[in-house]
Amino acid sequence: PRHECGNRKSCPSNHFAFRLISGAANVVGPSICFNDQILMSNVRNNIGRGLNIALVNGTTGELLRTGAFDMYSG
C-alpha cells in the first residue's frame, strides 16, 4: 500500500504526514513533503543553500511561507 509522503506507515487520522530529505552537498537537493504535497524541492525551484524552512499552519495544514537561510555566507 502507498502511504502519504512515501512513509513506511500511515499516520493516525488526526495527524499530518511529513518527510524531510536533507540532500547531499550540491548533488542532491533537499525536499520537504507535508500531507502528501511536495512543499520544497529542486523541481519546484524553491530551495537554497543552507537551512530550508517551510512554515505550515498546525491546525489546517496550509502552507504559509517557505524560505532558505544561507548559513555559509552569513
Side-chain angles (χ1 to χ4, degrees):
R2 187 189 176 291
H3 304 290
E4 290 182 329
C5 291
N7 290 324
R8 294 181 188 185
K9 295 180 181 179
S10 292
C11 293
S13 61
N14 58 344
H15 290 76
F16 292 114
F18 71 93
R19 186 170 189 182
L20 306 173
I21 299 174
S22 66
N26 61 353
V27 179
V28 178
S31 68
I32 299 175
C33 176
F34 182 81
N35 213 26
D36 219 21
Q37 291 187 331
I38 301 296
L39 303 182
M40 299 183 79
S41 71
N42 279 336
V43 174
R44 293 184 59 97
N45 197 29
N46 64 349
I47 58 171
R49 180 172 71 175
L51 300 174
N52 290 276
I53 306 289
L55 179 62
V56 178
N57 182 310
T59 303
T60 65
E62 173 190 8
L63 176 64
L64 301 175
R65 187 173 175 190
T66 62
F69 299 95
D70 188 344
M71 302 300 286
Y72 181 75
S73 69

